[in-house]
Every structure is written in C-alpha cells, then in structure tokens.
Amino acid sequence: MTSPIIQKDIVTACKIETTKAIVEELNGDYFALLVDESFDTSRKEQMAIVLRYVDRMGFVMERLIDVVHVQNTCASSLKSAIVNLLDQHSLSLSYVRGQCYDGASNMQGEINGLKMLIKRESRSAHSIHCFAHQLQLTLVAVSKKCLQVGELVVLVSNILNILGSSFKRMDEFRESQKERIQEALDMGELTTGRGLNQEFGLSRACDTRWGSHFKSFNNFILMFGSILDVLELLVLDAHSTDERAKAMGYLRACQTFEVAFMLHLMRDILAITNELNKCLQKKEQDIANAMLLVEVAKKRLQKLRKEE
C-alpha cells in the first residue's frame, strides 16, 4: 500500500469496476452527453464526460464516466475523444438523445460546433443551451460594449487581484473590516444577532458564472472602505515603485464620481437580472411563467431607464 505504483493500480482497478457498473446500469439504453473541459494542475487540457440516463427503477442518473486528456479543444478533437471513449464501452453516438455543454463557440457553434458534429450523426441528439446561461453571456457581452462598464470591470478585477495576491494584504483587509464593523456597532448603525455582520469575501466576476458580476460589484460597494484602507497601506509600504504607482492609480480611480456612479448603476441593473437568473434556474419553472418573468424584468429595466 505504500508503493505509488500499487496505489495507482488499485485506483485504476476501482475506476474500471465503477465504469463497468455504470455501463451495466445504462443497459444499452438511450442517454445524454454532458461535456466540459478545463486545465488541471499540471496544465493539461482535460475533458470530463458525464452520462445522463434513466435507470431501471425510473430515476434520472448522472454519472461521470471518464476524464480524458485532449491535445486541443477544437470541436473535431473533442468529438474524436468522445467517440473513442464510447467505443471502449460498446456505446454509440446513435443512442445519444441529448447534449449539454457550456456557451463556448467550439461547443455551441451552429456550423462546426461539437453539438452540430454529433447531431449530424444522430439527429435525435438535441442540444438546448441553458436560458439562464445564455442570459448571463448576453448581459456580459452587451454591457462590455459600453466603454465605461468595460473600464469598471477591469478596475474592479485588478484591485481584487492585487488584494488577493498577498496573505499580508488579506490580513490587513480582514482587520480593516473588523474595525469598521465594530465602529458601526458602537455607533448603533448595525445590530448584533445570529448570522449578521458576516465577513465578505473578494468575489471575482466570471463571464460564464451566473450572478458573479452582481456579487462582485455588490461586495465591492459593501467593502469599499476596507479596500481603500488596504490600498492606502500599499501606497506607503509597497516594496517597489511599480506596486506603489499601481496602488496610487487604483486609489485615485476609486475615489472619482464616475467610478462610484457606475458601481451603483451596474449593481442596480444586475440586481434585476440576477433575480431573473435565479428564477430561470428553478427546476419546477415552466416556460410560460419564465416568459412572464422575462417581461417583468424588461419592464423594471425600462422603468429604471426612464424614471430612476
């Protein structure tokens, strides 16, 4: 058990037996493919393949069948890797009845995307891109066309990166938060209670993560004072002139009216769309009610534009 080679053999044997059990449970029936790719710690491109199917008891099951290393992430390479894996387990693309991918062009492309390559071989392999995910991607793409919003996203991202890259700065940030919360409690601006006054984290925005931009801007506003405190300390204690110059630039930018206005404006807009996102992700949501929720969100955005 102390030998790495034997440990790897045991893990491999477990993998083989587990995969065999999944294929037996599938029992040659129809299934859907769920595929996503990402880097692992060794910087290799890995593709995770999950099968969704109905078992003999009538329950919908989702089972990870393998994680495959791929040389590149073009649609044809991903398709070849999927076909090879299915062949190993005597499965065929003709039995695929659904596809589920992220919003990347190599996956969702209407001409040479992975979904189209598979659909050419199996016409019943339908792919419906998650509506909440589409909404998030559209919001990000449209908002970044506004130069001021693009500048704000870059500024917030850079500040969060410079704060999160050092344990010392994170300690200073937490200490500043504690002091500000204590000061607010002493002045009666906050009340004590179970679950109240929790520490906020540095939430980074991600184009493909639902609600991440709203959370990032909201937390930035709530932690604004503590962020300025850390930037001021960095201006005084920075080891290099470059770090001091960056911190000074970020500090000046944060204290401008334009940045403060855009932060609050984007938080208000994204608060409306974030509620819609959450509703669209509910499992019991029906399409008629979803369309109604979209109409309500559009009216709230229009009201924000005209009156507020």
Side-chain angles (χ1 to χ4, degrees), residues 47-306:
M47 177 172 63
I49 301 174
V50 174
L51 302 184
R52 179 190 287 149
Y53 56 91
V54 179
D55 68 5
R56 296 171 186 176
M57 301 292 291
F59 294 103
V60 177
M61 311 299 291
E62 288 185 1
R63 301 292 190 214
L64 174 68
I65 193 168
D66 210 340
V67 178
V68 183
H69 171 55
V70 287
Q71 294 292 337
N72 60 65
T73 57
C74 70
S76 57
S77 296
L78 298 179
K79 184 200 168 191
S80 298
I82 292 170
V83 170
N84 291 337
L85 178 66
L86 294 179
D87 286 343
Q88 291 174 23
H89 303 295
S90 301
L91 300 173
S92 170
L93 283 180
S94 61
Y95 279 81
V96 176
R97 289 296 179 268
Q99 303 178 71
C100 185
Y101 312 121
D102 62 14
S105 58
N106 63 334
M107 296 294 201
Q108 296 287 349
E110 293 295 332
I111 300 174
N112 288 317
L114 179 60
K115 73 171 185 181
M116 293 307 297
L117 295 181
I118 291 179
K119 199 164 185 180
R120 284 169 194 162
E121 294 195 23
S122 178
R123 292 188 177 183
S124 300
H126 300 290
S127 173
I128 299 174
H129 192 184
C130 171
F131 294 126
H133 195 203
Q134 288 186 65
L135 175 62
Q136 170 69 7
L137 293 174
T138 304
L139 285 170
V140 172
V142 170
S143 62
K144 282 186 176 178
K145 287 183 179 179
C146 174
L147 183 60
Q148 290 87 347
V149 176
E151 289 175 346
L152 178 67
V153 171
V154 172
L155 176 66
V156 170
S157 177
N158 287 340
I159 291 174
L160 296 183
N161 284 337
I162 203 171
L163 294 183
S165 62
S166 166
F167 291 116
K168 180 186 175 184
R169 288 173 209 148
M170 287 302 299
D171 288 339
E172 291 171 348
F173 176 72
R174 293 190 187 96
E175 194 59 39
S176 175
Q177 269 192 292
K178 288 179 185 177
E179 290 175 2
R180 287 179 174 276
I181 289 173
Q182 188 59 53
E183 185 181 333
L185 289 170
D186 294 340
M187 295 174 66
E189 295 178 0
L190 293 176
T191 56
T192 57
R194 187 174 181 179
L196 298 177
N197 309 319
Q198 297 291 312
E199 181 182 290
F200 288 102
L202 299 175
S203 179
R204 290 178 176 80
C206 175
D207 290 359
T208 58
R209 194 184 306 139
W210 295 314
S212 62
H213 283 74
F214 169 70
K215 188 176 180 182
S216 182
F217 291 145
N218 190 49
N219 284 10
F220 197 91
I221 292 170
L222 294 173
M223 301 181 298
F224 191 75
S226 298
I227 290 171
L228 292 188
D229 289 344
V230 178
L231 288 175
E232 286 171 357
L233 288 171
L234 186 57
V235 170
L236 298 173
D237 303 332
H239 296 298
S240 67
T241 309
D242 286 348
E243 277 191 348
R244 187 175 290 111
K246 283 182 181 178
M248 181 63 77
Y250 296 148
L251 190 59
R252 285 175 180 165
C254 283
Q255 294 173 315
T256 61
F257 171 78
E258 288 79 7
V259 168
F261 176 81
M262 288 304 298
L263 271 171
H264 284 272
L265 176 64
M266 289 307 297
R267 183 183 66 172
D268 291 347
I269 292 172
L270 293 176
I272 296 172
T273 57
N274 191 54
E275 287 182 28
L276 176 60
N277 254 332
K278 288 179 179 177
C279 291
L280 290 177
Q281 291 172 61
K282 290 181 179 178
K283 290 184 178 180
E284 69 274 12
Q285 197 66 262
D286 62 83
I287 191 68
N289 196 47
M291 293 304 297
L292 181 63
L293 291 169
V294 171
E295 283 297 318
V296 171
K298 286 168 68 177
K299 286 178 181 177
R300 289 178 65 189
L301 288 170
Q302 190 62 31
K303 183 182 178 183
L304 182 71
R305 172 183 285 177
K306 284 186 174 181

